[in-house]
Amino acid sequence: MSGNSQIVTETVRAADHDRYLTALYAPADKRDGLFSLYAFNAEVAGVRDRIHEPLPGEVRLQWWRDVIAAGGESGAGHPIAESLNMTISAFKLPKLAFENMLEARIFDLYDDPMPSRTDLEGYCGETAAALIQLTAMVLDPVEAPRFAELSGRAGCAQAITGLLLLLPLHRRRGQCFIPADLLAAAGSSPEEFIASGDSPAARRAVDAMIALAREHLSVFEKGASALPASLRPAYLPLALSRAYLGKMESARSSPLDGVTRLSALRRHWLTLRRAMSGWPAL
């Protein structure tokens, strides 16, 4: 393993262990490509954690735009940037997908509320769903285009689940990713949700988000039995989504009470089971 590859792999292992675990089930000659995508995603998803003011955060996202647009050896000295550009070139990945992902990530830097369910699904599509589709293109560029719509459903299910996992952090920051229309239907608002603690309206809003994630997950699972084995690693993170959502629905593990966790043993088992057997037809 080259120096860059080791750094990139360790970045994913530390920042996004669930995706790190799923990448290990990909063919050996594809793993560096997957790790470069996942490391890039971890970098841009974590900009707000490292840069606490919006304007410097936007500057950082613009740096990534420039590096990807320039291609080649731009970003020399930054292992993740170098690895990502090699992956984009080697697998002929569309740079527009990265541009759209970076544009969507600007939302993370501010405290503006998510306006609607449609806006939330668009955000999920440009982030998690795009990452799944790019991963599929690395794994099998011939088969990947057939499952673009399934990637959209998978990405929404995974991203909404992830936002629920991060809900305690977002509330402390004053962020609200639950769409305003879902909050209104639950009898709340973004401002009230952030300030209200564990109120009945907040519970209803969280339940609505869980239901939305389950809706997308159900559609994904109905189509997932058609996935060829070559593409399965791209969708393996979904193996954990149903378990996370199920635990969130229990009274003891509401996202309003703290971060929902699965044991390492259970995460390994769920991933292994899906890697070996896929998603049976429903």
Side-chain angles (χ1 to χ4, degrees):
M1 182 181 289
S2 70
N4 273 4
S5 295
Q6 186 171 4
I7 291 170
V8 169
T9 300
E10 289 303 319
T11 296
V12 179
R13 189 205 299 263
D16 192 347
H17 197 267
D18 286 351
R19 284 194 177 98
Y20 166 80
L21 181 63
T22 63
L24 298 179
Y25 290 95
D29 63 336
K30 305 285 189 177
R31 285 179 202 154
D32 280 354
L34 268 58
F35 283 133
S36 71
L37 291 173
Y38 293 161
F40 164 74
N41 181 67
E43 282 283 306
V44 299
V47 166
R48 175 151 179 172
D49 296 323
R50 297 186 300 275
I51 304 173
H52 303 297
E53 295 296 326
L55 185 56
E58 289 209 41
V59 170
R60 187 59 176 171
L61 294 178
Q62 183 59 49
W63 181 86
W64 277 105
R65 284 194 196 91
D66 295 341
V67 165
I68 293 168
E73 296 184 8
S74 62
H78 192 294
I80 296 172
E82 291 178 354
S83 179
L84 180 67
N85 272 340
M86 288 177 61
T87 296
I88 291 171
S89 175
F91 296 99
K92 299 179 174 57
L93 301 181
K95 292 186 178 182
L96 180 60
F98 295 94
E99 169 67 27
N100 291 340
M101 190 183 300
L102 290 163
E103 184 67 24
R105 286 295 179 185
I106 293 174
F107 185 85
D108 300 356
L109 306 178
Y110 295 88
D111 295 336
D112 299 331
M114 185 67 70
S116 68
R117 168 178 169 164
T118 300
D119 291 297
L120 173 64
E121 289 170 335
Y123 172 88
C124 297
E126 301 292 4
T127 54
L131 184 62
I132 291 171
Q133 187 63 11
L134 289 165
T135 302
M137 293 174 70
V138 170
L139 291 167
D140 190 337
V142 174
E143 290 287 344
R146 292 203 301 123
F147 296 94
E149 184 175 345
L150 201 66
S151 293
R153 291 292 193 167
C156 283
Q158 186 188 14
I160 295 170
T161 302
L163 290 172
L164 285 163
L165 292 172
L166 291 171
L167 191 150
L169 171 64
H170 291 157
R171 289 180 102 191
R172 288 195 298 272
R173 287 178 176 169
Q175 285 180 293
C176 184
F177 280 86
I178 298 182
D181 53 358
L182 291 189
L183 286 165
S188 186
S189 67
E191 297 76 18
E192 183 179 344
F193 180 79
I194 290 168
S196 65
D198 185 8
S199 68
R203 289 269 175 179
R204 289 193 294 271
V206 168
D207 288 344
M209 277 285 276
I210 293 173
L212 181 57
R214 282 197 176 279
E215 176 185 325
H216 285 288
L217 182 61
S218 177
V219 176
F220 162 73
E221 289 177 338
K222 286 177 182 176
S225 61
L227 284 169
S230 61
L231 291 182
R232 202 174 290 161
Y235 299 86
L236 276 181
L238 274 294
L240 306 179
S241 295
R242 182 170 288 280
Y244 278 125
L245 293 170
K247 193 161 187 179
M248 287 177 199
E249 287 174 320
S250 71
R252 292 177 296 175
S253 298
S254 168
L256 293 167
D257 300 326
V259 179
T260 302
R261 303 185 188 281
L262 300 175
S263 70
L265 180 61
R266 190 175 184 200
R267 286 185 284 122
H268 278 266
W269 163 243
L270 291 169
T271 304
L272 173 64
R273 186 176 67 179
R274 288 299 182 210
M276 297 297 102
S277 62
W279 283 264
L282 298 179

